[in-house]
Amino acid sequence: MLTSKQKKFLNSIFNPKEIIWEKASLFAYGVDSSSLHGEPEVVVLPSKVDQIQKLLFFAQNEGIHIVPRGRGTGRAGACVPKKGIVVSLLKLNHIIEIRKNDFVVIVEPGVITYNLQQELKKYNLFYPPDPASVKFSTIGGNVATNAGGMQALKYGVTGDYVLGLEVVLADGTLLNLKNFCHKNVCGLNLAKLFVGSEGTLGIISKIYLKVLPLPNYSVSILFGFKSLDKAISNILNLFKEGFLPCALEIIDKNCLNAISKVDSLPWEKDLNIQTVLIVKFDGTENSVKEDINRVLSLFSADVSIVGKTEEEQEKIWELRRKISPAAYRLKPAKLSEDFTVPRGKIGEFLRAGERLSNQYDLPVLTFGHVGDGNIHTNIMYDPEKIEDRKKADKIHRLLLEKTLELEGTITGEHGIGLLKKKYIGLQLDSNTLQIMNAIKCTLDPNNILNPGKAF
Amino acid sequence: MLTSKQKKFLNSIFNPKEIIWEKASLFAYGVDSSSLHGEPEVVVLPSKVDQIQKLLFFAQNEGIHIVPRGRGTGRAGACVPKKGIVVSLLKLNHIIEIRKNDFVVIVEPGVITYNLQQELKKYNLFYPPDPASVKFSTIGGNVATNAGGMQALKYGVTGDYVLGLEVVLADGTLLNLKNFCHKNVCGLNLAKLFVGSEGTLGIISKIYLKVLPLPNYSVSILFGFKSLDKAISNILNLFKEGFLPCALEIIDKNCLNAISKVDSLPWEKDLNIQTVLIVKFDGTENSVKEDINRVLSLFSADVSIVGKTEEEQEKIWELRRKISPAAYRLKPAKLSEDFTVPRGKIGEFLRAGERLSNQYDLPVLTFGHVGDGNIHTNIMYDPEKIEDRKKADKIHRLLLEKTLELEGTITGEHGIGLLKKKYIGLQLDSNTLQIMNAIKCTLDPNNILNPGKAF
C-alpha cells in the first residue's frame, strides 16, 4: 500500500485530471483482453515525458511497482498489474512529425495505430503492421509487444518498422535512441531490445517508425474447399511455387459452423465447404491482376469469390472478423492461443487441431495467419462442466506439445505476459532465460518495471 | 604474451591445422579492409562449436582477449586485433539445412554469403542482403556488422533476415536462440541484440535466416544527367511519387572522371554527363515492365541505357564497381566514409560534397546507396603532401558535421569498429553509451570479447 507521503508525491507531479484514485475507475486499468485482472493502487496519465521520469526516479527509490499500458488490448496479461502504479500512456497521443521524403514518422506511444495509418494515407504513406486490434490498440502497445497481424506475411511485424525509440529507464533516465535513417549501425541496436519487452525494461515515450509508399491497389479473394486437407495442399503448393501474397488467412470448419449460427455463409449450402482461405494482394493494379491470375491457376478451389472494390473486400474480411464473437454460440467459454509453427508445418498443426476436436468432442476453432504459421486456436468449452474443463485443458496441453514438437513457438504475436509465463521454460532453456533476466537486472536492478512478466 | 601453459592449453584443444603460430601467417589475420592493422599472438580456426566454448571458458579465466573474424572485409577495423587470440570462423562453413517450405535456412557463420545465395537459387529461394563484399564476406561477419547493401532499399539489411542465432558467450556458455518461425515473441529478442554487435557480446556459431521466394525477373537502367542538381531533383521526385525501386545508386562526376581514366564511358562524350543513377527493379516480368514505364515517365534524364539480360545488367553495374579501384587514378590515398543521412536530405549532403571538393580542390567522390541516404564518400589525397592531408581531414570533419546537422548517422553500414570510435560520442549521448556498456559488462564482465570496439 502506498504511504501518505508517496500519495502526496504523486499528487505533486500529476494534476487531478492525470491521476485516478477512485476504486471504481481503477478497475478498467486492471484488465486487458486476456481473462486476467489485477488491481492497481493508482493510475497516472502523464501528459509530459518528464512526469514519467520523475515518477520512475521516485518509484525506484521507494520500490514501487510500475505497470505501463496502452489500450489494454493485449491477450497475455502483460499490462495487468499485480499491485503498484499503472502508467497509462493515452495522454501522450500526438503524431509529432511526418517526414514524407524521409519515409519516417515520429509518434508518441498513445497514438491509435489505425489513426496513424489514416493520417499517413494523406501523405501517400503506409505503415503496414495490422494487428487485429489495430483500430483500438496504441502504437506504443504494439511496439512493447512487437505486434504482428495479417499482413506480416508480406510486410513483417511492428519491430521491422521501429527505427528508433525514446525510453524512460527504471531510474528515470531518458534514453534517447532517435534515428531517422533506414540504415544505421552506430553502436548496439538498443531500440530493437525494447521492442517486444512488454514494459519490463523501460517506458517507451517516443517512437521513430519507418514507413513505406502506399500501395494503390488491392484485391481480396475468398476460396472455399470441401476438406481441410484440400486447403492445406493448396497452401503448401503456393509455398512450393514461391508465391507469398500480402495476407493468407484460414478459417476452419468449426469456425464456419459457429459463423453459420449467426449469419448465412456466402455460398450455396450444398457445396459443403469445410475450410476457407482468404488471400489478399496489394501493389499496382497490373501487378495485383497478375497475382490474381497466378493464384487462380495454382489453386483448385470449390468456390471462389473475388473482392475488388473496398466494399467487396470488406464483405470478405467480415467473415474473418465474425469468428471471435460467433465462437460463443458453440460453447460459453474459450481457451484462446496463438501457437505458431514453421510455415511448412501448418498441415500437421491444423490436422492435429481437427483430430483433437473430434477425439475429445469439443469444438477447436483454428483460424488466422496461416501464411506465417501463426494459427489462432480457440478451444471452446463450458466452464460449468468439469468434464469440459478437463478436456479443454487436455487439448490445450496436446496442442502445446505438438507446437514444440514441430519446432514452433508458444506465442507468435500475443506475447508471454502473465498468461504464458508458466510455459516459457518449455521453449527456452535456462541459459536463455538467465541472460534475459541478467539484462533485465542491468536495466531495472530494483525490479520495479512490470515485474514477473514476459520471461 | 601467452604463457607456455596457455599455449599448451590451446594446442590441446586445436589440432595443428586449426592453429597458426607462425608470425608470417599471422599478419593476414591482423587486417581488414580499413587501413588498420594489429597483430594477434595466435590464430585458431575451430571446426566445432565446443572448441569455441572451451576456448572462451579458458580465456575468460585467464583474461585473454578474443577477436572473432570472418573474411576480414569489414571497413571499420572491427576484427583488427590489438593483441590476444583471433578466432577465425572460416572452418565453420556449412549450410546446415535449407527448409524450403518453411522459408528458413540454417547456416554456420563461415559460409560465404554469395555461395549461400547461389545454393538457395536451386530451391527458388532468395536471401536479399547484398553488401559490396557479398562474394567474399561471410554470413557470420554480415550478421556481426548488420551488413547492408544495394538492395536494402527494397529488402532491408542483414538483421531483417535473422530469425535466430546460436552464440557462444564470454564464459563459454552456449546460448541457443534457435527459431524457425517468422513470427515469434517468446521473451526478449536477444538474437537482434547480437546483430551488429561487432563481436563484442559473443561469438556467433549458428544462424537461422528468413528467406524469400526468388524474384524471377529484373531490369537495371542507367540514367545520365548533365548536373548533380538535376539528378537530385529526379530522385526526390521519385520519393515524392512514393516510388521505391529495388536499388537506387548514384555515381557523381568525380567518380565518372576517375572511371574515364581507366575506361571509356558508355555514352557520347559531348553529352557532358555529370551524374549517373542506376535503378534496379525485380519481381515478375509484368510488374517490372510496369516499373520501367513508371520510372521512364517520372525521370527526365539526358541519357538512359536499359539492361534487360543478365549480361546487359552486368555491364551497367560494372561501372559502379569500377569506382573504388579507379579512384586511385586521381590521388594515391583515400579517406573512405559511409556517412548516411535521412532519405529526404540526400540533396543537401551531395551538394555539400561537391562544394567542399571545389572549395578545397581535392576530389571528393560520392556514390552508393542514395535511395537509403547511405552515400559512400571517398576523399582522395596525396599522403606525401602535408597540405593534402590537412585538406582531406578538414573536408572529412565538415562532412561529418553536415551528417550530424542533417540528423544522419556516422555509419550506415560499415559499423564503428576501431576506426569510428572517436566519433561515436558526437552521435550518441552518454546515457546511451552507458547502457551499451552496461549490457556489454553483463554479457562479458571480464571484457575479453573484442575489447575497445564498437561503442
Side-chain angles (χ1 to χ4, degrees):
Chain A
M1 290 287 290
L2 295 172
T3 65
S4 61
K5 192 194 116 207
Q6 289 168 341
K7 289 179 183 175
K8 205 175 153 190
F9 172 80
L10 293 176
N11 283 322
S12 79
I13 54 170
F14 296 99
N15 73 40
K17 288 190 172 170
E18 295 169 341
I19 193 160
I20 300 171
W21 293 104
E22 302 74 30
K23 251 193 169 315
S25 309
L26 290 177
F27 182 81
Y29 294 87
V31 297
D32 69 352
S33 297
S34 71
S35 57
L36 302 167
H37 55 90
E39 202 165 315
E41 291 187 59
V42 58
V43 175
V44 296
L45 298 101
S47 55
K48 293 209 170 103
V49 175
D50 74 339
Q51 291 172 303
I52 307 176
Q53 291 183 261
K54 283 176 191 158
L55 173 69
L56 266 55
F57 179 79
F58 181 76
Q60 153 131 319
N61 287 326
E62 303 279 323
I64 302 169
H65 290 180
I66 296 286
V67 182
R69 70 183 276 130
R71 290 289 290 276
T73 57
R75 304 186 63 90
C79 67
V80 171
K82 289 178 179 172
K83 56 175 187 172
I85 302 172
V86 160
V87 181
S88 164
L89 280 314
L90 295 184
K91 280 191 193 286
L92 286 169
N93 60 357
H94 301 95
I95 297 173
I96 299 171
E97 201 183 347
I98 294 173
R99 299 193 176 188
K100 180 174 161 53
N101 281 338
D102 292 344
F103 292 79
V104 170
V105 56
I106 306 135
V107 292
E108 289 183 331
V111 172
I112 306 294
T113 306
Y114 180 78
N115 294 352
L116 172 64
Q117 289 172 331
Q118 293 305 106
E119 190 59 28
L120 286 168
K121 270 190 188 172
K122 299 178 190 164
Y123 298 81
N124 213 23
L125 293 175
F126 180 40
Y127 172 71
D130 60 344
S133 61
V134 67
K135 287 194 176 171
F136 316 101
S137 61
T138 63
I139 188 73
N142 291 176
V143 173
T145 56
N146 196 11
M150 270 176 11
Q151 301 188 151
L153 181 55
K154 176 171 177 181
Y155 289 107
V157 295
T158 302
D160 296 319
Y161 294 84
V162 176
L163 295 175
L165 294 174
E166 180 187 87
V167 182
V168 183
L169 296 178
D171 64 357
T173 301
L174 196 67
L175 190 61
N176 182 355
L177 307 171
K178 70 174 176 190
N179 175 27
F180 305 93
C181 295
H182 288 210
K183 271 174 163 178
N184 184 356
V185 288
C186 184
L188 297 180
N189 195 337
L190 293 182
K192 296 272 192 211
L193 181 63
F194 289 95
V195 172
S197 65
E198 302 189 33
T200 60
L201 303 182
I203 296 186
I204 295 164
S205 54
K206 203 185 278 183
I207 301 157
Y208 300 76
L209 294 170
K210 165 168 117 173
V211 290
L212 302 180
L214 187 70
N216 56 20
Y217 194 75
S218 70
V219 163
S220 300
I221 314 179
L222 180 152
F223 293 101
F225 300 89
K226 294 202 182 205
S227 73
L228 176 64
D229 273 346
K230 199 173 169 191
I232 290 169
S233 73
N234 273 278
I235 296 170
L236 293 177
N237 195 35
L238 209 64
F239 295 165
K240 212 180 229 162
E241 289 296 316
F243 188 30
L244 297 181
C246 170
L248 175 58
E249 299 280 307
I250 195 166
I251 303 175
D252 81 349
K253 71 172 175 196
N254 288 327
C255 297
L256 295 176
N257 182 24
I259 297 167
S260 72
K261 292 188 189 302
V262 294
D263 216 338
S264 63
L265 295 168
W267 52 78
E268 307 252 331
K269 212 179 166 186
D270 56 6
L271 277 174
N272 194 26
I273 296 301
Q274 301 273 320
T275 310
V276 159
L277 298 177
I278 307 180
V279 186
K280 184 182 174 184
F281 302 104
D282 69 358
T284 63
E285 189 170 339
N286 284 334
S287 72
V288 169
K289 282 181 175 160
E290 197 181 4
D291 287 337
I292 297 171
N293 290 335
R294 203 170 159 203
V295 76
L296 288 173
S297 77
L298 277 173
F299 265 16
S300 67
D302 299 303
V303 67
S304 60
I305 303 170
V306 179
K308 287 186 177 169
T309 66
E310 210 163 303
E311 266 182 5
E312 288 167 353
Q313 290 195 64
E314 193 52 30
K315 219 171 157 188
I316 288 173
W317 288 106
E318 227 184 307
L319 200 72
R320 165 76 173 81
R321 275 192 297 272
K322 278 179 194 153
I323 299 169
S324 281
Y328 294 105
R329 295 297 179 109
L330 302 179
K331 292 272 187 178
K334 68 166 78 164
L335 228 163
S336 168
E337 271 300 348
D338 74 322
F339 296 144
T340 298
V341 294
R343 188 173 286 157
K345 306 277 178 60
I346 49 134
E348 282 149 279
F349 185 83
L350 289 165
R351 280 189 204 104
E354 189 177 64
R355 196 173 56 243
L356 292 168
S357 189
N358 293 337
Q359 188 180 335
Y360 289 93
D361 193 27
L362 270 193
V364 176
L365 280 60
T366 48
F367 60 98
H369 322 312
V370 69
D372 270 322
N374 183 200
I375 296 162
H376 294 296
T377 316
N378 285 176
I379 306 164
M380 305 308 298
Y381 66 102
D382 182 344
E384 304 284 310
K385 293 184 185 159
I386 186 159
E387 196 55 29
D388 256 30
R389 289 211 310 270
K390 272 189 190 167
K391 287 196 290 185
D393 282 342
K394 182 74 185 168
I395 294 172
H396 182 259
R397 184 74 195 189
L398 290 169
L399 280 175
L400 173 67
E401 283 168 12
K402 176 56 79 179
T403 303
L404 296 170
E405 179 198 320
L406 297 174
E407 299 182 295
T409 171
I410 58 172
T411 177
E413 58 181 17
H414 292 168
I416 297 293
L418 272 174
L419 200 66
K420 299 204 180 180
K421 246 207 114 172
K422 55 180 175 284
Y423 304 122
I424 196 168
L426 298 174
Q427 183 171 333
L428 304 182
D429 64 18
S430 60
N431 288 339
T432 303
L433 289 169
Q434 204 180 319
I435 295 300
M436 289 180 184
N437 281 293
I439 286 171
K440 161 78 171 166
C441 192
T442 302
L443 288 169
D444 179 19
N446 295 346
N447 197 23
I448 62 159
L449 286 170
N450 214 3
K453 308 274 177 68
F455 51 85
Chain B
M1 290 288 290
L2 295 172
T3 64
S4 62
K5 191 193 116 206
Q6 289 168 340
K7 289 179 182 174
K8 205 174 151 189
F9 172 80
L10 293 176
N11 283 323
S12 79
I13 55 169
F14 296 99
N15 73 40
K17 287 190 172 169
E18 296 169 342
I19 193 159
I20 300 170
W21 292 104
E22 302 73 31
K23 252 193 170 311
S25 309
L26 290 177
F27 182 81
Y29 294 87
V31 297
D32 70 351
S33 298
S34 71
S35 57
L36 302 167
H37 54 90
E39 202 166 317
E41 291 186 60
V42 58
V43 174
V44 296
L45 299 101
S47 55
K48 292 207 171 104
V49 175
D50 75 339
Q51 291 173 304
I52 307 176
Q53 291 184 261
K54 285 176 190 158
L55 173 69
L56 265 56
F57 179 79
F58 181 78
Q60 153 131 320
N61 287 326
E62 303 279 322
I64 302 169
H65 291 178
I66 296 287
V67 181
R69 70 184 275 130
R71 290 289 290 277
T73 57
R75 304 186 64 90
C79 67
V80 170
K82 287 178 177 171
K83 58 176 186 171
I85 302 172
V86 160
V87 181
S88 164
L89 280 315
L90 294 185
K91 281 191 193 286
L92 286 168
N93 60 357
H94 301 94
I95 298 174
I96 299 171
E97 201 183 348
I98 294 174
R99 298 191 176 189
K100 180 173 161 52
N101 281 339
D102 293 344
F103 292 79
V104 169
V105 57
I106 306 134
V107 292
E108 290 184 331
V111 172
I112 306 295
T113 305
Y114 180 78
N115 294 351
L116 172 64
Q117 289 173 332
Q118 293 305 106
E119 190 59 28
L120 286 168
K121 269 190 187 170
K122 298 178 190 166
Y123 298 80
N124 212 24
L125 294 174
F126 180 39
Y127 172 72
D130 60 343
S133 61
V134 67
K135 287 194 176 171
F136 315 102
S137 61
T138 64
I139 188 74
N142 291 176
V143 173
T145 56
N146 196 10
M150 270 175 12
Q151 301 188 149
L153 181 55
K154 176 171 177 180
Y155 289 107
V157 295
T158 302
D160 295 319
Y161 294 84
V162 175
L163 295 176
L165 294 175
E166 179 188 86
V167 182
V168 183
L169 297 178
D171 64 357
T173 300
L174 196 67
L175 190 61
N176 182 355
L177 307 171
K178 70 175 176 190
N179 175 26
F180 305 94
C181 295
H182 288 211
K183 271 176 165 176
N184 184 356
V185 288
C186 184
L188 298 179
N189 196 339
L190 294 181
K192 296 274 193 210
L193 181 63
F194 289 95
V195 172
S197 65
E198 301 191 33
T200 60
L201 303 182
I203 296 187
I204 295 163
S205 53
K206 204 186 277 182
I207 301 157
Y208 300 77
L209 293 170
K210 167 168 116 173
V211 291
L212 301 180
L214 188 69
N216 56 20
Y217 194 76
S218 71
V219 161
S220 300
I221 314 178
L222 179 152
F223 293 100
F225 299 89
K226 293 201 184 206
S227 74
L228 176 64
D229 273 345
K230 199 172 169 191
I232 290 169
S233 73
N234 274 278
I235 296 170
L236 293 178
N237 195 33
L238 210 64
F239 295 165
K240 211 180 230 164
E241 290 295 316
F243 189 30
L244 298 180
C246 169
L248 175 58
E249 299 279 307
I250 195 166
I251 303 174
D252 82 349
K253 71 171 176 196
N254 287 327
C255 297
L256 295 175
N257 182 23
I259 298 167
S260 72
K261 293 188 188 300
V262 293
D263 216 337
S264 63
L265 295 167
W267 52 78
E268 307 253 330
K269 211 179 167 185
D270 55 7
L271 276 174
N272 194 25
I273 297 301
Q274 300 273 319
T275 309
V276 159
L277 298 177
I278 306 180
V279 186
K280 183 182 174 183
F281 301 104
D282 70 358
T284 63
E285 189 169 340
N286 284 335
S287 72
V288 169
K289 282 181 176 161
E290 197 181 3
D291 286 338
I292 297 172
N293 289 335
R294 202 170 159 203
V295 75
L296 288 172
S297 77
L298 277 171
F299 265 15
S300 67
D302 299 302
V303 67
S304 60
I305 304 170
V306 179
K308 287 185 178 169
T309 66
E310 209 163 304
E311 265 181 5
E312 286 166 356
Q313 290 194 64
E314 192 52 28
K315 219 171 156 188
I316 287 173
W317 287 105
E318 226 184 307
L319 200 72
R320 166 77 174 81
R321 276 192 296 273
K322 277 180 194 153
I323 299 169
S324 282
Y328 295 105
R329 295 297 178 107
L330 301 179
K331 291 274 186 177
K334 69 166 77 164
L335 229 162
S336 169
E337 271 300 348
D338 73 323
F339 296 144
T340 298
V341 294
R343 188 173 286 157
K345 307 278 178 60
I346 51 134
E348 281 149 279
F349 186 82
L350 289 164
R351 281 188 203 103
E354 189 177 67
R355 195 174 57 245
L356 291 168
S357 188
N358 293 337
Q359 188 179 334
Y360 289 93
D361 194 26
L362 270 192
V364 177
L365 280 60
T366 48
F367 60 97
H369 322 313
V370 70
D372 270 322
N374 182 202
I375 296 162
H376 294 296
T377 316
N378 286 175
I379 306 163
M380 306 307 300
Y381 67 102
D382 183 345
E384 305 284 311
K385 292 184 184 158
I386 186 160
E387 197 55 30
D388 256 30
R389 290 209 309 269
K390 272 188 190 169
K391 288 196 289 185
D393 283 341
K394 183 74 186 166
I395 294 171
H396 181 259
R397 184 75 195 187
L398 290 169
L399 280 175
L400 173 68
E401 283 168 12
K402 176 54 81 179
T403 303
L404 296 171
E405 179 198 320
L406 297 173
E407 300 182 295
T409 171
I410 59 173
T411 177
E413 57 180 19
H414 292 169
I416 297 294
L418 272 174
L419 200 66
K420 299 204 179 179
K421 245 206 115 170
K422 56 180 174 284
Y423 304 122
I424 196 168
L426 298 175
Q427 183 172 333
L428 303 182
D429 64 17
S430 61
N431 287 340
T432 303
L433 289 169
Q434 205 180 318
I435 295 299
M436 289 180 184
N437 280 294
I439 287 171
K440 160 80 171 168
C441 193
T442 302
L443 288 170
D444 179 19
N446 295 346
N447 197 23
I448 63 159
L449 287 170
N450 215 4
K453 307 274 177 68
F455 51 85

